[in-house]
Amino acid sequence: MKQVWKTALCAAALGHAALAGAQTTWKLASGYRAESFQVENLAQFAKDVAAATQQQLKIELLPNGQAFKLGEIRPAVEDGRLQAGETIMSGMVQDIPLAGADSVPFVVGSYQDAQRLWQLQRPVLAAKLAERGLSVLYAVPWPPQGLYSTKPIRSLADLRGTRMRSYNQTTLRIAEMLGAKPVDVPMADVGQALQDGRVDSMITSAVTGVENKVWGAIHYYYDINAWFPKNLVFASTKSLDALPAEVRAQLLKAAALAERRGWASSEAEARKAVQTLQAHGIKLDRLPADMERDLQRMGERFSREWVRSMGHEASAIFVPYYFN
Ligand code: PCA
């Protein structure tokens, strides 16, 4: 009799486990703040997925680089510690050089061009990520990158010897080319780094300036429209394949929607943010024409270096970008 009870209890427990198995929770880490427009879009994506799959797939967000630092997120998804992640695409260039295509200076000058570049970059990037067991969910650009400074800038020489914040290989190399000292500061710490006087200048979006309330230390913003870096949201292919087909289809549908929504909100936020910087007393200035030319030349030098290091993979993206 005892044995019969044991068997019955085991069966009940197994039945319960089978039901619970139908509900999956993914952990998705982001290196960016929950209040950032990128992570707000991500939170909406998670909500959409839960609703569309009747809670069969829940996405638990781990934002702010707290559980996993920005640079650790992709490796953590690769080795199964996370099921999904959000990172800045150009942060992957050490392992996947063509992920940096969107951060080559002065190639893309508008959201429309950024979209065209993404359509060309996506298939080649997806193939590279597939080799690592990763799948692309969606990508959303940060607004155009401008130049911030505590002091007015009249020539490139004014940046020599200053401490310039970097967040990817492009910002690092540009600081080097300018003879500035690159200081790596995660996006969430930019406000603090400025307050502490650890940074004199930086290249990032107007939105990032607003989100970090940079107006205490920064007095000048130059709208140089240098590039449109994208955040990439991606998943472990193994986790994706383990989902029931219908759940997977709903997830991919929500991802496509998040991509469209994100691009629209990036553009809208970009416009508002420049005004907010000005409203807080930051001078929106133009660079002198000869400095603009020098900056363009530096961008060309960067492009040459990049194309040389990439070989034919760069042409797969840039030949159709420039000639089609
Ligand atoms: N904000 C992020 C990346 C690009 C941007 O506009 C940052 O500054 O780290």
PDB file of all heavy atoms in Angstrom, residues 274-308:
ATOM      1  N   VAL A 274      18.380  67.037 -27.905  1.00  0.00           N
ATOM      2  CA  VAL A 274      19.219  68.204 -28.213  1.00  0.00           C
ATOM      3  C   VAL A 274      18.603  69.441 -27.564  1.00  0.00           C
ATOM      4  O   VAL A 274      19.299  70.273 -26.973  1.00  0.00           O
ATOM      5  CB  VAL A 274      19.383  68.380 -29.742  1.00  0.00           C
ATOM      6  CG1 VAL A 274      20.168  69.640 -30.054  1.00  0.00           C
ATOM      7  CG2 VAL A 274      20.086  67.169 -30.349  1.00  0.00           C
ATOM      8  N   GLN A 275      17.271  69.545 -27.632  1.00  0.00           N
ATOM      9  CA  GLN A 275      16.593  70.691 -27.010  1.00  0.00           C
ATOM     10  C   GLN A 275      16.776  70.679 -25.493  1.00  0.00           C
ATOM     11  O   GLN A 275      16.973  71.715 -24.876  1.00  0.00           O
ATOM     12  CB  GLN A 275      15.097  70.670 -27.344  1.00  0.00           C
ATOM     13  CG  GLN A 275      14.844  71.005 -28.799  1.00  0.00           C
ATOM     14  CD  GLN A 275      13.417  70.654 -29.230  1.00  0.00           C
ATOM     15  OE1 GLN A 275      12.606  70.204 -28.426  1.00  0.00           O
ATOM     16  NE2 GLN A 275      13.130  70.850 -30.508  1.00  0.00           N
ATOM     17  N   THR A 276      16.710  69.496 -24.894  1.00  0.00           N
ATOM     18  CA  THR A 276      16.872  69.406 -23.440  1.00  0.00           C
ATOM     19  C   THR A 276      18.275  69.839 -23.025  1.00  0.00           C
ATOM     20  O   THR A 276      18.445  70.543 -22.028  1.00  0.00           O
ATOM     21  CB  THR A 276      16.603  67.957 -22.954  1.00  0.00           C
ATOM     22  OG1 THR A 276      15.353  67.549 -23.489  1.00  0.00           O
ATOM     23  CG2 THR A 276      16.577  67.860 -21.449  1.00  0.00           C
ATOM     24  N   LEU A 277      19.272  69.434 -23.796  1.00  0.00           N
ATOM     25  CA  LEU A 277      20.649  69.851 -23.470  1.00  0.00           C
ATOM     26  C   LEU A 277      20.731  71.381 -23.480  1.00  0.00           C
ATOM     27  O   LEU A 277      21.268  71.994 -22.560  1.00  0.00           O
ATOM     28  CB  LEU A 277      21.644  69.280 -24.496  1.00  0.00           C
ATOM     29  CG  LEU A 277      21.877  67.768 -24.486  1.00  0.00           C
ATOM     30  CD1 LEU A 277      22.849  67.369 -25.608  1.00  0.00           C
ATOM     31  CD2 LEU A 277      22.432  67.294 -23.136  1.00  0.00           C
ATOM     32  N   GLN A 278      20.145  71.975 -24.516  1.00  0.00           N
ATOM     33  CA  GLN A 278      20.180  73.441 -24.634  1.00  0.00           C
ATOM     34  C   GLN A 278      19.426  74.099 -23.478  1.00  0.00           C
ATOM     35  O   GLN A 278      19.882  75.081 -22.914  1.00  0.00           O
ATOM     36  CB  GLN A 278      19.557  73.884 -25.958  1.00  0.00           C
ATOM     37  CG  GLN A 278      20.477  73.679 -27.133  1.00  0.00           C
ATOM     38  CD  GLN A 278      19.800  74.105 -28.419  1.00  0.00           C
ATOM     39  OE1 GLN A 278      18.865  73.463 -28.881  1.00  0.00           O
ATOM     40  NE2 GLN A 278      20.263  75.201 -28.981  1.00  0.00           N
ATOM     41  N   ALA A 279      18.265  73.523 -23.141  1.00  0.00           N
ATOM     42  CA  ALA A 279      17.454  74.094 -22.056  1.00  0.00           C
ATOM     43  C   ALA A 279      18.226  74.079 -20.739  1.00  0.00           C
ATOM     44  O   ALA A 279      17.953  74.879 -19.847  1.00  0.00           O
ATOM     45  CB  ALA A 279      16.152  73.313 -21.912  1.00  0.00           C
ATOM     46  N   HIS A 280      19.205  73.195 -20.624  1.00  0.00           N
ATOM     47  CA  HIS A 280      20.016  73.146 -19.398  1.00  0.00           C
ATOM     48  C   HIS A 280      21.317  73.925 -19.545  1.00  0.00           C
ATOM     49  O   HIS A 280      22.263  73.714 -18.784  1.00  0.00           O
ATOM     50  CB  HIS A 280      20.301  71.690 -19.002  1.00  0.00           C
ATOM     51  CG  HIS A 280      19.124  71.044 -18.352  1.00  0.00           C
ATOM     52  ND1 HIS A 280      18.166  70.352 -19.054  1.00  0.00           N
ATOM     53  CD2 HIS A 280      18.720  71.033 -17.063  1.00  0.00           C
ATOM     54  CE1 HIS A 280      17.226  69.925 -18.219  1.00  0.00           C
ATOM     55  NE2 HIS A 280      17.544  70.330 -17.007  1.00  0.00           N
ATOM     56  N   GLY A 281      21.355  74.789 -20.529  1.00  0.00           N
ATOM     57  CA  GLY A 281      22.485  75.716 -20.629  1.00  0.00           C
ATOM     58  C   GLY A 281      23.677  75.217 -21.413  1.00  0.00           C
ATOM     59  O   GLY A 281      24.709  75.886 -21.469  1.00  0.00           O
ATOM     60  N   ILE A 282      23.560  74.042 -22.028  1.00  0.00           N
ATOM     61  CA  ILE A 282      24.682  73.566 -22.852  1.00  0.00           C
ATOM     62  C   ILE A 282      24.633  74.290 -24.193  1.00  0.00           C
ATOM     63  O   ILE A 282      23.562  74.399 -24.813  1.00  0.00           O
ATOM     64  CB  ILE A 282      24.627  72.033 -23.034  1.00  0.00           C
ATOM     65  CG1 ILE A 282      24.907  71.361 -21.684  1.00  0.00           C
ATOM     66  CG2 ILE A 282      25.612  71.562 -24.098  1.00  0.00           C
ATOM     67  CD1 ILE A 282      24.950  69.857 -21.708  1.00  0.00           C
ATOM     68  N   LYS A 283      25.777  74.824 -24.615  1.00  0.00           N
ATOM     69  CA  LYS A 283      25.804  75.584 -25.865  1.00  0.00           C
ATOM     70  C   LYS A 283      25.900  74.610 -27.044  1.00  0.00           C
ATOM     71  O   LYS A 283      26.840  73.805 -27.120  1.00  0.00           O
ATOM     72  CB  LYS A 283      27.003  76.529 -25.854  1.00  0.00           C
ATOM     73  CG  LYS A 283      26.967  77.536 -26.953  1.00  0.00           C
ATOM     74  CD  LYS A 283      27.845  78.741 -26.606  1.00  0.00           C
ATOM     75  CE  LYS A 283      27.664  79.864 -27.596  1.00  0.00           C
ATOM     76  NZ  LYS A 283      28.363  79.781 -28.831  1.00  0.00           N
ATOM     77  N   LEU A 284      24.914  74.685 -27.920  1.00  0.00           N
ATOM     78  CA  LEU A 284      24.939  73.854 -29.129  1.00  0.00           C
ATOM     79  C   LEU A 284      25.708  74.640 -30.168  1.00  0.00           C
ATOM     80  O   LEU A 284      25.257  75.704 -30.602  1.00  0.00           O
ATOM     81  CB  LEU A 284      23.507  73.593 -29.586  1.00  0.00           C
ATOM     82  CG  LEU A 284      23.332  72.832 -30.880  1.00  0.00           C
ATOM     83  CD1 LEU A 284      23.855  71.413 -30.765  1.00  0.00           C
ATOM     84  CD2 LEU A 284      21.863  72.792 -31.291  1.00  0.00           C
ATOM     85  N   ASP A 285      26.885  74.168 -30.521  1.00  0.00           N
ATOM     86  CA  ASP A 285      27.749  74.968 -31.381  1.00  0.00           C
ATOM     87  C   ASP A 285      28.124  74.207 -32.640  1.00  0.00           C
ATOM     88  O   ASP A 285      27.976  72.990 -32.701  1.00  0.00           O
ATOM     89  CB  ASP A 285      29.026  75.329 -30.596  1.00  0.00           C
ATOM     90  CG  ASP A 285      29.521  76.721 -30.942  1.00  0.00           C
ATOM     91  OD1 ASP A 285      28.992  77.313 -31.905  1.00  0.00           O
ATOM     92  OD2 ASP A 285      30.434  77.204 -30.255  1.00  0.00           O
ATOM     93  N   ARG A 286      28.614  74.957 -33.628  1.00  0.00           N
ATOM     94  CA  ARG A 286      29.153  74.327 -34.843  1.00  0.00           C
ATOM     95  C   ARG A 286      30.661  74.348 -34.738  1.00  0.00           C
ATOM     96  O   ARG A 286      31.236  75.279 -34.171  1.00  0.00           O
ATOM     97  CB  ARG A 286      28.737  75.140 -36.075  1.00  0.00           C
ATOM     98  CG  ARG A 286      27.285  74.992 -36.392  1.00  0.00           C
ATOM     99  CD  ARG A 286      27.067  75.081 -37.857  1.00  0.00           C
ATOM    100  NE  ARG A 286      27.970  74.170 -38.590  1.00  0.00           N
ATOM    101  CZ  ARG A 286      27.771  73.822 -39.835  1.00  0.00           C
ATOM    102  NH1 ARG A 286      26.728  74.261 -40.472  1.00  0.00           N
ATOM    103  NH2 ARG A 286      28.610  73.020 -40.453  1.00  0.00           N
ATOM    104  N   LEU A 287      31.291  73.353 -35.308  1.00  0.00           N
ATOM    105  CA  LEU A 287      32.751  73.371 -35.312  1.00  0.00           C
ATOM    106  C   LEU A 287      33.200  74.287 -36.440  1.00  0.00           C
ATOM    107  O   LEU A 287      32.516  74.401 -37.458  1.00  0.00           O
ATOM    108  CB  LEU A 287      33.292  71.960 -35.559  1.00  0.00           C
ATOM    109  CG  LEU A 287      33.074  70.954 -34.435  1.00  0.00           C
ATOM    110  CD1 LEU A 287      33.528  69.570 -34.888  1.00  0.00           C
ATOM    111  CD2 LEU A 287      33.835  71.366 -33.170  1.00  0.00           C
ATOM    112  N   PRO A 288      34.350  74.941 -36.295  1.00  0.00           N
ATOM    113  CA  PRO A 288      34.876  75.727 -37.410  1.00  0.00           C
ATOM    114  C   PRO A 288      35.076  74.814 -38.627  1.00  0.00           C
ATOM    115  O   PRO A 288      35.384  73.625 -38.466  1.00  0.00           O
ATOM    116  CB  PRO A 288      36.223  76.239 -36.899  1.00  0.00           C
ATOM    117  CG  PRO A 288      36.285  75.919 -35.452  1.00  0.00           C
ATOM    118  CD  PRO A 288      35.221  74.929 -35.120  1.00  0.00           C
ATOM    119  N   ALA A 289      34.923  75.398 -39.828  1.00  0.00           N
ATOM    120  CA  ALA A 289      34.942  74.586 -41.056  1.00  0.00           C
ATOM    121  C   ALA A 289      36.232  73.775 -41.195  1.00  0.00           C
ATOM    122  O   ALA A 289      36.200  72.601 -41.587  1.00  0.00           O
ATOM    123  CB  ALA A 289      34.754  75.479 -42.276  1.00  0.00           C
ATOM    124  N   ASP A 290      37.379  74.377 -40.859  1.00  0.00           N
ATOM    125  CA  ASP A 290      38.625  73.612 -41.050  1.00  0.00           C
ATOM    126  C   ASP A 290      38.717  72.452 -40.055  1.00  0.00           C
ATOM    127  O   ASP A 290      39.272  71.400 -40.366  1.00  0.00           O
ATOM    128  CB  ASP A 290      39.876  74.501 -40.995  1.00  0.00           C
ATOM    129  CG  ASP A 290      39.895  75.405 -39.794  1.00  0.00           C
ATOM    130  OD1 ASP A 290      38.837  75.539 -39.135  1.00  0.00           O
ATOM    131  OD2 ASP A 290      40.964  75.971 -39.492  1.00  0.00           O
ATOM    132  N   MET A 291      38.104  72.617 -38.910  1.00  0.00           N
ATOM    133  CA  MET A 291      38.131  71.512 -37.957  1.00  0.00           C
ATOM    134  C   MET A 291      37.214  70.377 -38.429  1.00  0.00           C
ATOM    135  O   MET A 291      37.536  69.201 -38.289  1.00  0.00           O
ATOM    136  CB  MET A 291      37.697  71.987 -36.580  1.00  0.00           C
ATOM    137  CG  MET A 291      37.754  70.844 -35.611  1.00  0.00           C
ATOM    138  SD  MET A 291      37.530  71.293 -33.922  1.00  0.00           S
ATOM    139  CE  MET A 291      37.207  69.685 -33.223  1.00  0.00           C
ATOM    140  N   GLU A 292      36.091  70.773 -39.020  1.00  0.00           N
ATOM    141  CA  GLU A 292      35.194  69.748 -39.587  1.00  0.00           C
ATOM    142  C   GLU A 292      35.926  68.929 -40.641  1.00  0.00           C
ATOM    143  O   GLU A 292      35.802  67.714 -40.706  1.00  0.00           O
ATOM    144  CB  GLU A 292      33.957  70.404 -40.190  1.00  0.00           C
ATOM    145  CG  GLU A 292      32.789  70.283 -39.265  1.00  0.00           C
ATOM    146  CD  GLU A 292      31.503  70.837 -39.817  1.00  0.00           C
ATOM    147  OE1 GLU A 292      31.325  70.884 -41.049  1.00  0.00           O
ATOM    148  OE2 GLU A 292      30.673  71.238 -38.983  1.00  0.00           O
ATOM    149  N   ARG A 293      36.694  69.650 -41.458  1.00  0.00           N
ATOM    150  CA  ARG A 293      37.471  68.965 -42.505  1.00  0.00           C
ATOM    151  C   ARG A 293      38.492  68.012 -41.877  1.00  0.00           C
ATOM    152  O   ARG A 293      38.634  66.868 -42.298  1.00  0.00           O
ATOM    153  CB  ARG A 293      38.178  70.003 -43.383  1.00  0.00           C
ATOM    154  CG  ARG A 293      37.993  69.761 -44.853  1.00  0.00           C
ATOM    155  CD  ARG A 293      38.659  70.781 -45.754  1.00  0.00           C
ATOM    156  NE  ARG A 293      39.538  71.719 -45.109  1.00  0.00           N
ATOM    157  CZ  ARG A 293      39.258  73.018 -44.917  1.00  0.00           C
ATOM    158  NH1 ARG A 293      38.104  73.522 -45.306  1.00  0.00           N
ATOM    159  NH2 ARG A 293      40.150  73.814 -44.359  1.00  0.00           N
ATOM    160  N   ASP A 294      39.178  68.481 -40.850  1.00  0.00           N
ATOM    161  CA  ASP A 294      40.174  67.626 -40.175  1.00  0.00           C
ATOM    162  C   ASP A 294      39.517  66.380 -39.586  1.00  0.00           C
ATOM    163  O   ASP A 294      40.061  65.285 -39.634  1.00  0.00           O
ATOM    164  CB  ASP A 294      40.871  68.402 -39.046  1.00  0.00           C
ATOM    165  CG  ASP A 294      41.781  69.494 -39.577  1.00  0.00           C
ATOM    166  OD1 ASP A 294      42.082  69.472 -40.787  1.00  0.00           O
ATOM    167  OD2 ASP A 294      42.172  70.378 -38.788  1.00  0.00           O
ATOM    168  N   LEU A 295      38.336  66.598 -39.048  1.00  0.00           N
ATOM    169  CA  LEU A 295      37.606  65.489 -38.431  1.00  0.00           C
ATOM    170  C   LEU A 295      37.198  64.462 -39.497  1.00  0.00           C
ATOM    171  O   LEU A 295      37.301  63.259 -39.303  1.00  0.00           O
ATOM    172  CB  LEU A 295      36.380  66.057 -37.724  1.00  0.00           C
ATOM    173  CG  LEU A 295      35.823  65.308 -36.529  1.00  0.00           C
ATOM    174  CD1 LEU A 295      36.871  65.134 -35.451  1.00  0.00           C
ATOM    175  CD2 LEU A 295      34.636  66.079 -35.936  1.00  0.00           C
ATOM    176  N   GLN A 296      36.733  64.999 -40.635  1.00  0.00           N
ATOM    177  CA  GLN A 296      36.370  64.126 -41.759  1.00  0.00           C
ATOM    178  C   GLN A 296      37.560  63.294 -42.197  1.00  0.00           C
ATOM    179  O   GLN A 296      37.462  62.108 -42.446  1.00  0.00           O
ATOM    180  CB  GLN A 296      35.902  64.952 -42.972  1.00  0.00           C
ATOM    181  CG  GLN A 296      34.536  65.603 -42.810  1.00  0.00           C
ATOM    182  CD  GLN A 296      33.398  64.616 -43.010  1.00  0.00           C
ATOM    183  OE1 GLN A 296      33.609  63.522 -43.520  1.00  0.00           O
ATOM    184  NE2 GLN A 296      32.203  64.986 -42.595  1.00  0.00           N
ATOM    185  N   ARG A 297      38.737  63.947 -42.275  1.00  0.00           N
ATOM    186  CA  ARG A 297      39.964  63.242 -42.693  1.00  0.00           C
ATOM    187  C   ARG A 297      40.298  62.136 -41.719  1.00  0.00           C
ATOM    188  O   ARG A 297      40.687  61.044 -42.114  1.00  0.00           O
ATOM    189  CB  ARG A 297      41.137  64.220 -42.756  1.00  0.00           C
ATOM    190  CG  ARG A 297      41.147  64.890 -44.060  1.00  0.00           C
ATOM    191  CD  ARG A 297      42.521  65.335 -44.509  1.00  0.00           C
ATOM    192  NE  ARG A 297      42.250  66.322 -45.526  1.00  0.00           N
ATOM    193  CZ  ARG A 297      42.362  67.625 -45.348  1.00  0.00           C
ATOM    194  NH1 ARG A 297      42.852  68.113 -44.231  1.00  0.00           N
ATOM    195  NH2 ARG A 297      42.018  68.448 -46.302  1.00  0.00           N
ATOM    196  N   MET A 298      40.108  62.443 -40.439  1.00  0.00           N
ATOM    197  CA  MET A 298      40.394  61.437 -39.431  1.00  0.00           C
ATOM    198  C   MET A 298      39.431  60.251 -39.585  1.00  0.00           C
ATOM    199  O   MET A 298      39.821  59.098 -39.460  1.00  0.00           O
ATOM    200  CB  MET A 298      40.217  62.064 -38.061  1.00  0.00           C
ATOM    201  CG  MET A 298      41.096  61.458 -37.029  1.00  0.00           C
ATOM    202  SD  MET A 298      40.705  62.201 -35.467  1.00  0.00           S
ATOM    203  CE  MET A 298      39.023  61.703 -35.335  1.00  0.00           C
ATOM    204  N   GLY A 299      38.186  60.582 -39.906  1.00  0.00           N
ATOM    205  CA  GLY A 299      37.192  59.537 -40.158  1.00  0.00           C
ATOM    206  C   GLY A 299      37.607  58.665 -41.336  1.00  0.00           C
ATOM    207  O   GLY A 299      37.480  57.442 -41.310  1.00  0.00           O
ATOM    208  N   GLU A 300      38.137  59.314 -42.376  1.00  0.00           N
ATOM    209  CA  GLU A 300      38.578  58.546 -43.553  1.00  0.00           C
ATOM    210  C   GLU A 300      39.736  57.626 -43.192  1.00  0.00           C
ATOM    211  O   GLU A 300      39.800  56.486 -43.645  1.00  0.00           O
ATOM    212  CB  GLU A 300      38.990  59.499 -44.687  1.00  0.00           C
ATOM    213  CG  GLU A 300      37.788  60.108 -45.385  1.00  0.00           C
ATOM    214  CD  GLU A 300      38.133  61.373 -46.150  1.00  0.00           C
ATOM    215  OE1 GLU A 300      39.338  61.615 -46.412  1.00  0.00           O
ATOM    216  OE2 GLU A 300      37.195  62.138 -46.466  1.00  0.00           O
ATOM    217  N   ARG A 301      40.632  58.145 -42.348  1.00  0.00           N
ATOM    218  CA  ARG A 301      41.767  57.323 -41.918  1.00  0.00           C
ATOM    219  C   ARG A 301      41.241  56.106 -41.141  1.00  0.00           C
ATOM    220  O   ARG A 301      41.688  54.985 -41.344  1.00  0.00           O
ATOM    221  CB  ARG A 301      42.677  58.170 -41.029  1.00  0.00           C
ATOM    222  CG  ARG A 301      43.976  57.511 -40.735  1.00  0.00           C
ATOM    223  CD  ARG A 301      44.896  58.484 -40.006  1.00  0.00           C
ATOM    224  NE  ARG A 301      45.707  57.760 -39.057  1.00  0.00           N
ATOM    225  CZ  ARG A 301      46.241  58.285 -37.967  1.00  0.00           C
ATOM    226  NH1 ARG A 301      46.019  59.554 -37.671  1.00  0.00           N
ATOM    227  NH2 ARG A 301      46.974  57.557 -37.162  1.00  0.00           N
ATOM    228  N   PHE A 302      40.266  56.358 -40.290  1.00  0.00           N
ATOM    229  CA  PHE A 302      39.672  55.262 -39.521  1.00  0.00           C
ATOM    230  C   PHE A 302      39.054  54.233 -40.477  1.00  0.00           C
ATOM    231  O   PHE A 302      39.259  53.028 -40.330  1.00  0.00           O
ATOM    232  CB  PHE A 302      38.600  55.798 -38.563  1.00  0.00           C
ATOM    233  CG  PHE A 302      38.031  54.735 -37.664  1.00  0.00           C
ATOM    234  CD1 PHE A 302      38.501  54.578 -36.365  1.00  0.00           C
ATOM    235  CD2 PHE A 302      37.042  53.866 -38.123  1.00  0.00           C
ATOM    236  CE1 PHE A 302      37.999  53.578 -35.543  1.00  0.00           C
ATOM    237  CE2 PHE A 302      36.529  52.865 -37.319  1.00  0.00           C
ATOM    238  CZ  PHE A 302      37.009  52.726 -36.020  1.00  0.00           C
ATOM    239  N   SER A 303      38.309  54.729 -41.477  1.00  0.00           N
ATOM    240  CA  SER A 303      37.659  53.823 -42.444  1.00  0.00           C
ATOM    241  C   SER A 303      38.694  52.963 -43.153  1.00  0.00           C
ATOM    242  O   SER A 303      38.500  51.760 -43.342  1.00  0.00           O
ATOM    243  CB  SER A 303      36.897  54.588 -43.524  1.00  0.00           C
ATOM    244  OG  SER A 303      36.010  55.466 -42.945  1.00  0.00           O
ATOM    245  N   ARG A 304      39.797  53.608 -43.596  1.00  0.00           N
ATOM    246  CA  ARG A 304      40.850  52.844 -44.298  1.00  0.00           C
ATOM    247  C   ARG A 304      41.396  51.740 -43.403  1.00  0.00           C
ATOM    248  O   ARG A 304      41.510  50.595 -43.834  1.00  0.00           O
ATOM    249  CB  ARG A 304      41.989  53.778 -44.729  1.00  0.00           C
ATOM    250  CG  ARG A 304      41.756  54.483 -46.050  1.00  0.00           C
ATOM    251  CD  ARG A 304      43.058  55.035 -46.612  1.00  0.00           C
ATOM    252  NE  ARG A 304      43.735  55.945 -45.698  1.00  0.00           N
ATOM    253  CZ  ARG A 304      43.437  57.245 -45.565  1.00  0.00           C
ATOM    254  NH1 ARG A 304      42.469  57.776 -46.290  1.00  0.00           N
ATOM    255  NH2 ARG A 304      44.094  58.013 -44.714  1.00  0.00           N
ATOM    256  N   GLU A 305      41.675  52.083 -42.158  1.00  0.00           N
ATOM    257  CA  GLU A 305      42.200  51.081 -41.218  1.00  0.00           C
ATOM    258  C   GLU A 305      41.200  49.936 -41.057  1.00  0.00           C
ATOM    259  O   GLU A 305      41.555  48.769 -41.034  1.00  0.00           O
ATOM    260  CB  GLU A 305      42.433  51.707 -39.835  1.00  0.00           C
ATOM    261  CG  GLU A 305      43.633  52.595 -39.757  1.00  0.00           C
ATOM    262  CD  GLU A 305      43.836  53.161 -38.346  1.00  0.00           C
ATOM    263  OE1 GLU A 305      43.121  52.756 -37.385  1.00  0.00           O
ATOM    264  OE2 GLU A 305      44.696  54.026 -38.206  1.00  0.00           O
ATOM    265  N   TRP A 306      39.941  50.323 -40.947  1.00  0.00           N
ATOM    266  CA  TRP A 306      38.900  49.330 -40.682  1.00  0.00           C
ATOM    267  C   TRP A 306      38.719  48.384 -41.871  1.00  0.00           C
ATOM    268  O   TRP A 306      38.711  47.169 -41.724  1.00  0.00           O
ATOM    269  CB  TRP A 306      37.588  50.044 -40.340  1.00  0.00           C
ATOM    270  CG  TRP A 306      36.548  49.102 -39.830  1.00  0.00           C
ATOM    271  CD1 TRP A 306      36.506  48.548 -38.590  1.00  0.00           C
ATOM    272  CD2 TRP A 306      35.432  48.581 -40.548  1.00  0.00           C
ATOM    273  NE1 TRP A 306      35.419  47.712 -38.492  1.00  0.00           N
ATOM    274  CE2 TRP A 306      34.749  47.715 -39.672  1.00  0.00           C
ATOM    275  CE3 TRP A 306      34.937  48.759 -41.842  1.00  0.00           C
ATOM    276  CZ2 TRP A 306      33.593  47.039 -40.051  1.00  0.00           C
ATOM    277  CZ3 TRP A 306      33.793  48.082 -42.217  1.00  0.00           C
ATOM    278  CH2 TRP A 306      33.135  47.230 -41.324  1.00  0.00           C
ATOM    279  N   VAL A 307      38.637  48.989 -43.069  1.00  0.00           N
ATOM    280  CA  VAL A 307      38.438  48.169 -44.271  1.00  0.00           C
ATOM    281  C   VAL A 307      39.628  47.237 -44.461  1.00  0.00           C
ATOM    282  O   VAL A 307      39.478  46.054 -44.772  1.00  0.00           O
ATOM    283  CB  VAL A 307      38.203  49.060 -45.518  1.00  0.00           C
ATOM    284  CG1 VAL A 307      38.280  48.256 -46.803  1.00  0.00           C
ATOM    285  CG2 VAL A 307      36.849  49.758 -45.419  1.00  0.00           C
ATOM    286  N   ARG A 308      40.832  47.751 -44.209  1.00  0.00           N
ATOM    287  CA  ARG A 308      42.042  46.932 -44.345  1.00  0.00           C
ATOM    288  C   ARG A 308      41.996  45.748 -43.370  1.00  0.00           C
ATOM    289  O   ARG A 308      42.306  44.628 -43.728  1.00  0.00           O
ATOM    290  CB  ARG A 308      43.274  47.789 -44.073  1.00  0.00           C
ATOM    291  CG  ARG A 308      44.470  47.342 -44.895  1.00  0.00           C
ATOM    292  CD  ARG A 308      45.644  48.295 -44.725  1.00  0.00           C
ATOM    293  NE  ARG A 308      45.428  49.594 -45.325  1.00  0.00           N
ATOM    294  CZ  ARG A 308      45.796  50.761 -44.762  1.00  0.00           C
ATOM    295  NH1 ARG A 308      46.363  50.797 -43.579  1.00  0.00           N
ATOM    296  NH2 ARG A 308      45.582  51.889 -45.403  1.00  0.00           N
TER     297      ARG A 308
END
